[in-house]
Amino acid sequence: MAALLVFIVFLVAIAVSVPIGISMILGSAAPIFLMDKGGSIAQLLNNAFSGANSTPILAVPLFILGGVIMAEGGISKKLFNFFAYFVGRLPGGVPCAVVMTCLFYGAISGSGPATTAAVGSMCIPFMVSLGYERRWSAGLIAVAGGLGVIIPPSIPFVLYSLATGVSTGDLFLGGVFPGILIGLFLMAYAVIYCVRKGEDRTLINQKMSELKGQGLGKLFLESFWALLCPVIVLGGIYSGMFTPTEAACVSVFYALVVSLFIYKSIKVEDLVPFLCSSVKTYGGLAFVLAFATAFGRVLSLTKATKIVENFILDNFHSSFTVLTVLVIIFLILGMVMDTGPAIIILAPVLLPAVQNLGVDPVHFGVILVCCLSIGLATPPFGLDLFVAGNLSEEPPMAVARRAVPFIIAFLIALVLITYIPWFSMALVNML
């Protein structure tokens, strides 16, 4: 009964538009005040403090700061030029170069909105200048930006690791092939669209000729330091040189050195606004994460986790069935709930049940993050939609309509990722 009360109060608060952080506080406090269960207020506050006072959680603001510095340093343009050099002349080559840039930029920022903002601010005007429809270009960026939370290093994977104790390194490995697969499906649709609708080949070839004129050597040297960032971060983690939190710190210093002294695209006085931007981004998330930890502890004390586990095991007898149901639920939640709180709340509650049905925790984490990343580009609250809409100066819902085919391509890839664990587990088992 206490567990049910927690969920009822939480869901009612969400339904009446109470901020999610406050909703979790109300849900956590309800059984304490009304039923004298779920611990005490002192315990609740202590759990919230311990949730925020965690070394691994420091990786989140550090990855955010590193992404902000890289974005302001013009890294996305150098990456795009490098990929466009190889595929820009092909049918649908420019949109494919955009997806490749999002894939690789995701390995720098770890964030969907950051990837959308950094790549979209440069690519949307460029695509429009080449004759691509503005809303279609924004829809492509909105969906492809979601790759930023799948390709490692990924902030949602760090949060999933914090919530469940699953190895962050394994989760990073698990996201590589799914991210690439989704990118390939997005590129496949972009090529089909461009072949059917046609492109301004004269204008595109002219732009690509200008790019080719710079020479591969120059483009490679310009993009080399951007391309090297994920190699250093991920290589350091898997070689055992540093932990994911230390890797996040390394990414910040690397971004500073590259942007200040190599590309010289930012100045020292720009760092204070960058820090302010990062704090604003992380401030609200930190509050939510702290009380999400407390919310999870209350669910544990009220045996909600065991109740959910028993319900799933009593009603579903195969991993195929339960994953199908959970994917549908995750996709719906992704439309109305932010990625971070959803992971912190759902992962520890559902993981024991799906593990009992033979689902690997890394595979489950990849499915959860992939589903929620689609939510970044779906109305009514898809954050990437609003970012892409602002960049393109188009209404977010108009962008959402043009993003639908890309979302369908994403969903097809999600089906393969969900029911073929190899995509998530191949690198984990290999390394």
Side-chain angles (χ1 to χ4, degrees):
M1 185 63 186
L4 184 61
L5 180 63
V6 174
F7 282 117
I8 290 174
V9 172
F10 173 71
L11 294 174
V12 168
I14 290 289
V16 297
S17 301
V18 175
I20 190 166
I22 305 300
S23 299
M24 286 188 290
I25 295 174
L26 295 175
S28 302
I32 299 174
F33 281 114
L34 301 179
M35 303 179 67
D36 197 24
K37 292 183 179 181
S40 64
I41 294 298
Q43 283 179 301
L44 180 66
L45 295 175
N46 185 59
N47 289 336
F49 179 80
S50 64
N53 186 28
S54 164
T55 300
I57 209 172
L58 285 174
V60 178
L62 289 172
F63 277 130
I64 290 173
L65 177 58
V68 168
I69 295 170
M70 284 289 201
E72 299 296 334
I75 303 299
S76 59
K77 182 177 182 180
K78 300 180 192 304
L79 290 172
F80 175 79
N81 287 343
F82 179 75
F83 294 124
Y85 180 92
F86 294 100
V87 301
R89 287 183 178 272
L90 302 175
V94 173
C96 287
V98 171
V99 175
M100 292 177 187
T101 305
C102 288
L103 272 169
F104 214 92
Y105 194 86
I108 296 173
S109 73
S111 163
T115 301
T116 303
V119 179
S121 61
M122 184 275 300
C123 287
I124 292 176
F126 181 75
M127 292 182 70
V128 171
S129 72
L130 293 180
Y132 294 96
E133 184 191 353
R134 184 179 297 274
R135 291 180 179 179
W136 185 85
S137 302
L140 165 64
I141 295 289
V143 179
L147 296 171
V149 303
I150 302 170
I151 293 293
S154 159
I155 292 172
F157 280 146
V158 174
L159 299 179
Y160 180 86
S161 176
L162 288 169
T164 62
V166 178
S167 165
T168 306
D170 286 351
L171 289 164
F172 283 177
L173 284 174
V176 174
F177 285 168
I180 293 173
L181 180 69
I182 294 166
L184 289 174
F185 271 84
L186 295 180
M187 287 187 276
Y189 168 71
V191 170
I192 293 170
Y193 175 88
C194 291
V195 169
R196 290 183 58 196
K197 299 292 184 179
E199 299 172 280
D200 190 337
R201 297 308 311 174
T202 302
L203 192 54
I204 292 172
N205 288 336
Q206 179 185 337
K207 290 285 186 180
M208 291 304 109
S209 295
E210 294 174 6
L211 195 60
K212 292 273 187 180
Q214 298 182 35
L216 177 59
K218 181 181 177 181
L219 287 175
F220 178 73
L221 288 175
E222 286 185 347
S223 60
F224 173 76
W225 298 103
L227 295 167
L228 191 60
C229 180
V231 176
I232 292 175
V233 172
L234 299 178
I237 294 173
Y238 299 125
S239 66
M241 291 179 63
F242 35 74
T243 66
T245 302
E246 291 166 344
C249 189
V250 168
S251 75
V252 172
F253 280 97
Y254 183 84
L256 284 171
V257 170
V258 170
S259 299
L260 281 172
F261 303 114
I262 298 177
Y263 291 144
K264 298 180 181 179
S265 49
I266 65 172
K267 299 177 181 178
V268 174
E269 53 264 31
D270 296 328
L271 297 181
V272 172
F274 295 167
L275 287 168
C276 292
S277 174
S278 300
V279 169
K280 288 179 182 178
T281 301
Y282 181 65
L285 178 60
F287 179 83
V288 170
L289 292 179
F291 281 98
T293 303
F295 186 75
R297 299 275 174 86
V298 171
L299 290 178
S300 178
L301 288 172
T302 56
K303 296 182 171 54
T305 304
K306 196 64 182 176
I307 293 170
V308 171
E309 180 181 352
N310 290 337
F311 174 81
I312 290 175
L313 295 178
D314 289 344
N315 292 276
F316 303 98
H317 304 292
S318 73
S319 59
F320 181 92
T321 306
V322 76
L323 286 178
T324 301
V325 174
L326 290 179
V327 163
I328 294 171
I329 293 172
F330 294 158
L331 290 172
I332 295 171
L333 284 176
M335 296 180 184
V336 297
M337 198 171 184
D338 195 28
T339 305
I343 290 171
I344 294 291
I345 293 169
L346 294 173
V349 173
L350 296 171
L351 183 58
V354 296
Q355 276 189 284
N356 278 331
L357 289 171
V359 179
D360 188 278
V362 172
H363 180 48
F364 180 67
V366 170
I367 294 170
L368 175 57
V369 170
C370 287
C371 290
L372 295 175
S373 70
I374 295 178
L376 292 171
T378 52
F381 302 118
L383 189 54
D384 285 2
L385 276 181
F386 289 91
V387 174
N390 288 336
L391 292 173
S392 62
E393 299 180 347
E394 295 285 349
M397 293 305 105
V399 173
R401 284 192 289 272
R402 302 298 280 135
V404 169
F406 291 108
I407 293 173
I408 293 172
F410 198 130
L411 289 171
I412 295 171
L414 176 63
V415 171
L416 297 177
I417 293 164
T418 301
Y419 300 118
I420 305 176
W422 180 88
F423 289 107
S424 303
M425 303 304 302
L427 286 177
V428 178
N429 293 333
M430 187 186 305
L431 300 177

